[in-house]
Amino acid sequence: MNYQEAIENLTSTGMFYIDLGLDRVKSALEELGNPQDSLKYIHVAGTNGKGSVCAMLESILRESGYKTGLYTSPHIFEYTERIKINGQEISQQDFADLFEEVSSIKVHLTEFEILTVMMFIYFKRNNVEIVILETGMGGRFDATNVIKENLCSIITQIDLDHTDRLGKTKDEIAFEKAGIIKPKCPVVTSMGYEEIRDRADELDSLLLFTSPFVSQGFLESLALKGLHQAENLALVLTAINYLFKDIDEVTIKLALSKVRNPFRFEFFQDKNLIVDASHNPNGIKALKENLDFYFPNKPRRYVFGCLNNKDYKTMMQILFEEGDEVYLCEFDYPKACSYEELHLSCPVVSKEYKGQELTGDKLNIICGSFYMIGQMMSN
């Protein structure tokens, strides 16, 4: 089987759905010798900030000499982006071979579950020392949560997202995120939810609270831009300082200067373009605050698209102001909003985006969906 065949099978309608739960993944891994049990993890859950936290952690640990595995989602261009060792994506042939191996197991898995099982096998066979493990959705019943212990859990910002599956309130969502906490394994968070504190107490897990204040020297070293990164960085530094006391400040700053997490408030100066993959109200609020801080007087041109299971009405109300030039994008994805859906909810005058050139006379902002960005930036 080649890579393209693997992707066609992986994204077929038989696998393209979400069914939270651990039983199927456990059964598949059992047949494969439970590769997940011999790896060490830092497990990261939350609504916003997971990707940035994972990227920072991986960079610091790799700079310190550890062989790192990084598992993230979603991807932007290729599925191979989700599984990396020491910053290098899994090869397309290795991906295809692992997909074929996992598919032969007589357990019907979802797309995300297949990828998760593939990741565990790949990291085990390549003797990864520390895995930075990002949850896909929630935590308690997320496929990544089959691990029995971790070096620590990290819970980032919590907001209303995936409310149809995780709960209608932030407290209910916090309960799901707290599901990654493991017995006697520390948890790092800036979130003061009772659900997190109660779960940590129940499992005799040390709870490490952070505040969003970090040394200016660390912030200035960080290649990722955005006011919200201070809180993400605080979580990372707390975890590193607790778990790896031998990693010095010079190494951390060097690693932070090398971090890249594509399309998170990423500025392309030659095109006067910001690309930001924020896809829920909390993320969009951070984007708006960053735009107001870094580009306070620049006229703005937006290209916005969104999935129809997101709160796109609130997102647009937060983001757009009278006088902004707004294009709404209908893109090729099963759950993508139609132009009509977006147009009916848009609070300002808007037009349909049909590939219009984004000239440099205004600050251009592309935002709202990973999937839309992947399609636009690959053209």
Side-chain angles (χ1 to χ4, degrees), residues 119-228:
M119 170 270 300
F120 284 132
I121 298 169
Y122 185 63
F123 289 163
K124 167 68 164 57
R125 290 179 182 168
N126 285 277
N127 301 310
V128 163
E129 292 177 284
I130 300 176
V131 178
I132 312 301
L133 188 62
E134 180 187 357
T135 57
M137 182 188 295
R140 186 164 60 112
F141 292 125
D142 186 78
T144 61
N145 206 31
V146 293
I147 64 173
K148 295 174 182 174
E149 60 181 8
N150 55 45
L151 296 174
C152 82
S153 307
I154 298 178
I155 300 176
T156 68
Q157 272 281 337
I158 290 173
D159 195 29
L160 297 176
D161 201 6
H162 302 295
T163 52
D164 54 330
R165 298 180 184 277
L166 302 181
K168 303 295 185 187
T169 68
K170 291 184 182 181
D171 289 335
E172 290 174 331
I173 292 172
F175 175 78
E176 296 298 327
K177 308 293 185 187
I180 69 166
I181 300 172
K182 295 291 181 280
K184 299 185 185 303
C185 299
V187 54
V188 180
T189 188
S190 59
M191 299 281 97
Y193 289 95
E194 283 185 20
E195 289 76 11
I196 297 174
R197 294 200 301 268
D198 289 349
R199 185 63 176 162
D201 286 344
E202 180 187 334
L203 297 177
D204 194 21
S205 301
L206 177 66
L207 184 58
L208 299 169
F209 271 112
T210 68
S211 67
F213 302 105
V214 295
S215 155
Q216 194 64 26
F218 286 118
L219 266 179
E220 289 172 354
S221 299
L222 182 60
L224 303 180
K225 298 307 174 192
L227 302 172
H228 58 294

Side-chain angles (χ1 to χ4, degrees), residues 107-327:
V107 180
H108 188 72
L109 302 172
T110 68
E111 176 188 297
F112 185 72
E113 289 169 345
I114 290 171
L115 291 165
T116 302
V117 173
M118 289 167 55
M119 170 270 300
F120 284 132
I121 298 169
Y122 185 63
F123 289 163
K124 167 68 164 57
R125 290 179 182 168
N126 285 277
N127 301 310
V128 163
E129 292 177 284
I130 300 176
V131 178
I132 312 301
L133 188 62
E134 180 187 357
T135 57
M137 182 188 295
R140 186 164 60 112
F141 292 125
D142 186 78
T144 61
N145 206 31
V146 293
I147 64 173
K148 295 174 182 174
E149 60 181 8
N150 55 45
L151 296 174
C152 82
S153 307
I154 298 178
I155 300 176
T156 68
Q157 272 281 337
I158 290 173
D159 195 29
L160 297 176
D161 201 6
H162 302 295
T163 52
D164 54 330
R165 298 180 184 277
L166 302 181
K168 303 295 185 187
T169 68
K170 291 184 182 181
D171 289 335
E172 290 174 331
I173 292 172
F175 175 78
E176 296 298 327
K177 308 293 185 187
I180 69 166
I181 300 172
K182 295 291 181 280
K184 299 185 185 303
C185 299
V187 54
V188 180
T189 188
S190 59
M191 299 281 97
Y193 289 95
E194 283 185 20
E195 289 76 11
I196 297 174
R197 294 200 301 268
D198 289 349
R199 185 63 176 162
D201 286 344
E202 180 187 334
L203 297 177
D204 194 21
S205 301
L206 177 66
L207 184 58
L208 299 169
F209 271 112
T210 68
S211 67
F213 302 105
V214 295
S215 155
Q216 194 64 26
F218 286 118
L219 266 179
E220 289 172 354
S221 299
L222 182 60
L224 303 180
K225 298 307 174 192
L227 302 172
H228 58 294
Q229 295 297 357
E231 185 171 338
N232 294 330
L233 180 54
L235 293 168
V236 169
L237 294 176
T238 299
I240 290 293
N241 291 335
Y242 181 79
L243 296 172
F244 305 96
K245 294 181 171 56
D246 57 328
I247 299 180
D248 60 70
E249 188 174 313
V250 172
T251 302
I252 292 172
K253 287 180 177 177
L254 180 59
L256 292 176
S257 72
K258 298 178 180 180
V259 174
R260 185 153 186 266
N261 195 23
F263 307 145
R264 275 76 163 189
F265 199 69
E266 188 169 11
F267 182 50
F268 298 85
Q269 191 166 4
D270 59 326
K271 300 176 181 177
N272 205 22
L273 170 65
I274 294 282
V275 184
D276 190 282
S278 297
H279 52 274
N280 55 48
N282 190 263
I284 288 293
K285 182 172 178 285
L287 168 60
K288 182 68 162 58
E289 289 172 351
N290 286 326
L291 290 171
D292 291 346
F293 180 80
Y294 290 103
F295 305 96
N297 301 312
K298 286 253 190 178
R300 297 169 189 174
R301 178 187 294 116
Y302 291 96
V303 177
F304 178 87
C306 197
L307 299 186
N308 58 25
N309 60 352
K310 303 291 184 182
D311 188 0
Y312 54 85
K313 184 174 183 179
T314 299
M315 291 162 67
M316 291 192 289
Q317 287 173 341
I318 291 169
L319 196 57
F320 302 146
E321 296 179 359
E322 290 295 336
D324 290 339
E325 187 177 346
V326 176
Y327 291 93

